[in-house]
Amino acid sequence: MDEISIRNVKNYLLGLQDSICNALAEEDDGDGFMEESWEREAGGGGRTRVMEGSKVFEKAGVNFSHVHGTQLPPSATAARPELAGRSFQAMGVSLVIHPNNPHVPTSHANVRFFVAEHETEEPVWWFGGGFDLTPYYPIEEDVVHWHTTAKAACDPFGDNVYADYKKWCDDYFFLKHRDETRGVGGLFFDDLNEWGFDKTFEFMQSVGNAYIPAYLPIVQKRREMPYSEQERDFQLYRRGRYVEFNLVYDRGTIFGLQSGGRTESILMSLPSLVKWRYNWSPEPGSPEALLYERYLKPQEWI
């Protein structure tokens, strides 16, 4: 049986945070990320990096956390009651990027490791993660590139891995109360351990390393596109869906808040500006209507 190495996972995650922040800061060519290290009273801590009000990115947050405790929160034991009473460690990198230009999609990525330990029993561990894309004015070649890069990260690990985790992403990032997906999907996996530690850790790294090659070419193509006040207004309206999902459904947000995590870091995913309107719908035949009619429905992109 593979030996679990918490140290190796942590070192990888810290390096991933560095590499993603460096790539985004170089693309923005501004002041870069501000960093804040923090400690959790109940155990652990992390480092939060945020870039706000810059040239390309209205708000970009890239968070590393490693928290531990003597008892799991209800969100972790609801589906796994056998873990009640175990101590735990949870670590991960989570990021959300909200660009200024409505033609540049919002993106999210997360990779994480969780282990529940007991004095007299084997540890229970798993990896999770993925990335998903939320465009406002989608361009199909960008969506195809995103999914092609996601598939390439999965292919070395099995023929059905991309298809399975693409579907999981479509199902997970779905706003039931709106009957629509959050965006055009990507990858999502959780509770993954059946491959053994070494292979599963390699897969998590493959997904984490694929995020920048999936996202940055889209940013570079669309960041200088002209946009109207109407398009900016629609971007702010659609950001409301992002807020709704993160506060109502997202497992990471719920776990973080229930486990006494640092609220500022947990909620860094929320955009700086957002709008809601009462009972609004797009004009038929408009670019805004196309988003609803074609892109907010699960489908095969490649």
Side-chain angles (χ1 to χ4, degrees), residues 101-169:
N101 193 314
H103 298 287
V104 182
T106 286
S107 69
H108 159 259
N110 172 262
V111 285
R112 55 191 177 273
F113 176 67
F114 182 92
V115 58
E117 298 169 296
H118 192 277
E119 292 180 359
T120 61
E121 299 178 27
E122 289 291 318
V124 177
W125 59 269
W126 62 80
F127 288 92
F131 48 68
D132 67 288
L133 193 70
T134 306
Y136 307 98
Y137 291 91
I139 299 173
E140 187 156 344
E141 70 175 86
D142 295 344
V143 181
V144 171
H145 165 77
W146 178 263
H147 279 274
T148 300
T149 309
K151 185 175 184 298
C154 296
D155 282 349
F157 299 88
D159 294 339
N160 296 322
V161 172
Y162 165 74
D164 290 345
Y165 295 159
K166 187 260 183 197
K167 182 181 186 306
W168 199 347
C169 186

Side-chain angles (χ1 to χ4, degrees), residues 29 66 78 88 94 101 111 167 171 188 191 211 219 256 300:
D29 197 26
H66 177 195
F88 75 94
S94 181
N101 193 314
V111 285
K167 182 181 186 306
D171 293 342
F188 182 85
D191 303 328
Y211 167 74
V219 176
E300 300 305 317

Side-chain angles (χ1 to χ4, degrees), residues 16-291:
L16 180 67
Q17 186 191 34
D18 287 340
S19 64
I20 290 174
C21 288
N22 290 340
L24 294 174
E26 184 176 350
E27 181 64 25
D28 191 83
D29 197 26
D31 294 334
F33 286 82
M34 57 159 281
E35 178 179 299
E36 186 175 10
S37 297
W38 51 273
E39 294 184 0
R40 174 176 172 268
E41 186 174 341
R47 62 185 192 189
T48 296
R49 293 177 179 169
V50 176
M51 181 164 55
E52 284 191 281
S54 58
K55 180 179 180 182
V56 180
F57 305 111
E58 186 173 316
K59 185 178 182 183
V62 186
N63 189 49
F64 165 81
S65 63
H66 177 195
V67 301
H68 52 83
T70 58
Q71 187 171 348
L72 287 160
S75 62
T77 58
R80 303 283 291 268
E82 72 276 12
L83 300 183
R86 285 177 176 251
S87 61
F88 75 94
Q89 296 190 60
M91 63 182 71
V93 166
S94 181
L95 64 96
V96 176
I97 312 301
H98 293 290
N100 290 304
N101 193 314
H103 298 287
V104 182
T106 286
S107 69
H108 159 259
N110 172 262
V111 285
R112 55 191 177 273
F113 176 67
F114 182 92
V115 58
E117 298 169 296
H118 192 277
E119 292 180 359
T120 61
E121 299 178 27
E122 289 291 318
V124 177
W125 59 269
W126 62 80
F127 288 92
F131 48 68
D132 67 288
L133 193 70
T134 306
Y136 307 98
Y137 291 91
I139 299 173
E140 187 156 344
E141 70 175 86
D142 295 344
V143 181
V144 171
H145 165 77
W146 178 263
H147 279 274
T148 300
T149 309
K151 185 175 184 298
C154 296
D155 282 349
F157 299 88
D159 294 339
N160 296 322
V161 172
Y162 165 74
D164 290 345
Y165 295 159
K166 187 260 183 197
K167 182 181 186 306
W168 199 347
C169 186
D170 289 336
D171 293 342
Y172 180 76
F173 291 106
F174 187 81
L175 286 82
K176 300 178 183 66
H177 63 285
R178 299 286 190 181
D179 194 30
E180 63 188 40
T181 59
R182 189 169 79 171
V184 296
L187 300 172
F188 182 85
F189 66 98
D190 207 1
D191 303 328
L192 184 63
N193 59 19
E194 60 263 32
W195 294 340
F197 180 84
D198 291 343
K199 182 178 177 181
T200 313
F201 182 27
E202 288 176 11
F203 177 66
M204 187 264 271
Q205 293 175 78
S206 183
V207 172
N209 295 343
Y211 167 74
I212 284 294
Y215 186 53
L216 209 54
I218 300 172
V219 176
Q220 291 165 344
K221 284 182 179 180
R222 311 303 170 199
R223 53 176 285 184
E224 301 297 339
M225 288 181 66
Y227 60 89
S228 66
E229 197 60 41
Q230 177 182 328
E231 289 169 329
R232 171 65 169 166
D233 194 64
F234 181 66
Q235 177 197 40
L236 299 186
Y237 171 73
R238 287 298 310 174
R239 282 179 178 175
R241 301 293 205 266
Y242 216 90
V243 173
E244 289 174 21
F245 181 88
N246 278 26
L247 295 182
V248 176
Y249 298 116
D250 188 70
R251 289 176 62 177
T253 301
I254 295 168
F255 175 85
L257 295 174
Q258 288 187 351
S259 63
R262 182 172 184 265
T263 302
E264 285 296 309
S265 298
I266 296 165
L267 298 183
M268 72 171 188
S269 63
L270 303 183
S272 301
L273 299 173
V274 63
K275 290 184 177 182
W276 278 272
R277 299 177 189 161
Y278 179 74
N279 201 26
W280 182 86
S281 60
E283 289 291 328
S286 67
E288 292 80 12
L290 181 62
L291 175 71

